[in-house]
């Protein structure tokens, strides 16, 4: 990490290790944005600010409910928003149980990412007899299953005029977008998440593609309101009540999700094809 980040690294590690019993923390990516803070009434007080988003893989020795979300919130609060994080948190026992792509993902991070913290008495380790490899057949089967789920939900709700509940339709859109994100993450990273909040999944997708940011920007107030609507968990239907959002809003969201679905299918197929081609070239050499 550079000097600016390093000054906050100790605080960052303490937020995680104080919250949950930690075995190791790896940083496998970061996005940095520098921007100017302009003040109309005090133009001489203009200052340059920096925001850093970290991608962290955290191995823990215990599990706590909502630990990932709570830690992300604490990091943002403690650093006054200058640092945010996408955290992939896994119990160390997952290293023994992981197979195929997940094992390859863990191995890649542990070999190549920046180690920020490690419990010297109980470090994480992979029990492997050979270097893990991607299992593209398994990934293809996983993606095919997600595609079936997506098609079923889409046809069930959006091709049947008898369904008129905006809340149910929005809940279905949430599930469709979630399934698409899981497919994107699996094909590009070889990773299967264990945390499914849409903001978390979008941040993961934005590690390797701009497709989620392109179709679901979170810049304007309308963007944020639409995303807030989309990211509602289907469980909110238990407490469903009439809301004041116009149906036009739902139509805009539905249209955007449909375009996202179509474009994501193309992106996924291209990436799968590219990886299969690489594997075939390796086999022939």
């Amino acid at each position: 990490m550079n000097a600016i980040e390093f000054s906050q690294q100790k605080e960052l590690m303490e937020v995680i290790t104080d919250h949950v019993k930690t075995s190791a923390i790896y940083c496998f990516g970061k996005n940095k944005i520098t921007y100017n803070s302009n003040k109309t009434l005090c133009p001489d007080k203009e200052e340059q600010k920096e925001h850093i988003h970290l991608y962290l893989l955290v191995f823990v020795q215990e599990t706590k409910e909502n630990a990932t979300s709570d830690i992300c919130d604490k990091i943002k609060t403690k650093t006054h928003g200058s640092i945010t994080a996408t955290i992939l948190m896994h119990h160390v026992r997952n290293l023994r149980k992981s197979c195929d792509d997940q094992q390859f993902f863990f191995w890649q991070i542990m070999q190549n990412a920046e180690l920020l913290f490690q419990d010297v008495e109980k470090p994480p380790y992979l029990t492997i007899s050979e270097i893990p490899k991607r299992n593209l057949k398994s990934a293809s089967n996983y993606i095919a299953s997600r595609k079936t789920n997506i098609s079923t939900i889409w046809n069930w709700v959006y091709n049947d005029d008898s369904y008129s509940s905006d809340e149910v339709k929005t809940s279905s859109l949430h599930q469709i977008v979630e399934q698409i994100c899981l497919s994107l993450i699996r094909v590009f990273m070889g990773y299967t998440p264990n945390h499914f909040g849409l903001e978390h999944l979008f941040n993961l997708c934005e590690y390797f593609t701009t497709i989620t940011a392109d179709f679901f920007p979170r810049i304007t107030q309308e963007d944020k309101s639409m995303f807030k609507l989309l990211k509602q968990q289907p469980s909110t239907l238990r407490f469903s009540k009439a809301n004041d959002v116009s149906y036009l809003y739902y139509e805009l969201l539905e249209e955007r999700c449909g375009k996202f679905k179509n474009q994501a299918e193309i992106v996924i197929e291209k990436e799968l094809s590219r990886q299969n081609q690489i594997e075939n070239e390796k086999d022939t050499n």
Side-chain angles (χ1 to χ4, degrees), residues 170-188:
T170 303
S171 174
S172 300
L173 283 178
H174 174 103
Q175 293 174 310
I176 287 167
V177 171
E178 176 187 289
Q179 294 289 303
I180 294 169
C181 287
L182 292 175
S183 293
L184 285 164
I185 293 164
R186 179 62 177 269
V187 71
F188 278 92

Side-chain angles (χ1 to χ4, degrees), residues 11-121:
E11 190 175 40
L12 179 72
M13 297 304 100
E14 286 177 351
V15 168
I16 299 173
T17 57
D18 288 351
H19 190 93
V20 65
K21 204 168 188 178
T22 309
S23 182
I25 303 170
Y26 297 88
C27 178
F28 62 95
K30 55 181 176 279
N31 294 329
K32 186 189 299 182
I33 300 172
T34 303
Y35 59 96
N36 292 323
S37 176
N38 298 313
K39 297 180 174 67
T40 303
L41 299 180
C42 304
D44 58 323
K45 298 295 184 181
E46 181 177 324
E47 57 184 334
Q48 191 174 74
K49 293 187 176 182
E50 187 177 70
H51 171 257
I52 299 164
H53 187 83
L54 302 176
Y55 289 89
L56 305 175
L57 174 62
V58 180
F59 289 112
V60 296
Q61 298 163 31
E62 62 178 347
T63 55
K64 285 189 176 181
E65 190 174 356
N66 298 322
T68 300
S69 299
D70 291 343
I71 290 172
C72 288
D73 289 342
K74 285 183 179 180
I75 290 172
K76 186 176 182 179
T77 301
K78 280 221 166 190
T79 62
H80 305 288
S82 63
I83 295 180
T84 53
T86 295
I87 296 177
L88 312 184
M89 185 175 292
H90 291 267
H91 198 286
V92 287
R93 63 171 170 261
N94 291 152
L95 288 169
R96 297 190 294 272
K97 295 180 178 179
S98 64
C99 57
D100 296 334
D101 285 354
Q102 194 85 325
Q103 189 177 74
F104 173 81
F105 174 80
F106 287 152
W107 180 83
Q108 284 272 77
I109 301 299
M110 295 172 76
Q111 288 292 310
N112 303 313
E114 181 181 3
L115 179 63
L116 302 182
F117 169 85
Q118 182 171 273
D119 184 335
V120 292
E121 295 182 357

Side-chain angles (χ1 to χ4, degrees), residues 2-13:
N2 62 35
I4 296 174
E5 296 172 61
F6 187 76
S7 66
Q8 296 172 307
Q9 182 177 339
K10 186 171 182 289
E11 190 175 40
L12 179 72
M13 297 304 100

Side-chain angles (χ1 to χ4, degrees), residues 151-270:
S151 296
T152 301
I153 298 169
W154 187 270
N155 291 330
W156 173 50
V157 176
Y158 297 99
N159 291 334
D160 189 338
D161 293 336
S162 64
Y163 286 91
S164 58
S165 168
D166 296 341
E167 288 79 9
V168 172
K169 286 187 173 183
T170 303
S171 174
S172 300
L173 283 178
H174 174 103
Q175 293 174 310
I176 287 167
V177 171
E178 176 187 289
Q179 294 289 303
I180 294 169
C181 287
L182 292 175
S183 293
L184 285 164
I185 293 164
R186 179 62 177 269
V187 71
F188 278 92
M189 299 179 73
Y191 176 65
T192 304
N194 60 355
H195 184 65
F196 304 99
L198 271 194
E199 190 161 11
H200 176 78
L201 296 179
F202 276 24
N203 285 335
L204 261 183
C205 287
E206 285 157 23
Y207 181 78
F208 52 81
T209 181
T210 62
I211 188 171
T212 47
D214 293 340
F215 283 94
F216 304 102
R218 287 154 281 170
I219 300 170
T220 68
Q221 190 56 49
E222 184 182 57
D223 291 338
K224 292 175 182 178
S225 296
M226 195 173 293
F227 181 68
K228 183 179 180 180
L229 188 66
L230 178 64
K231 74 175 184 177
Q232 289 183 119
Q233 292 290 340
S235 59
T236 58
L237 289 174
R238 299 170 190 160
F239 317 102
S240 182
K241 59 182 179 180
N243 60 58
D244 58 358
V245 180
S246 69
Y247 192 72
L248 175 62
Y249 217 57
Y250 286 97
E251 288 181 332
L252 288 172
L253 188 60
E254 180 180 326
E255 181 183 3
R256 195 173 291 185
C257 288
K259 291 178 178 178
F260 172 65
K261 177 176 75 71
N262 294 337
Q263 185 60 34
E265 287 178 0
I266 295 170
V267 171
I268 289 167
E269 288 304 317
K270 281 185 177 179

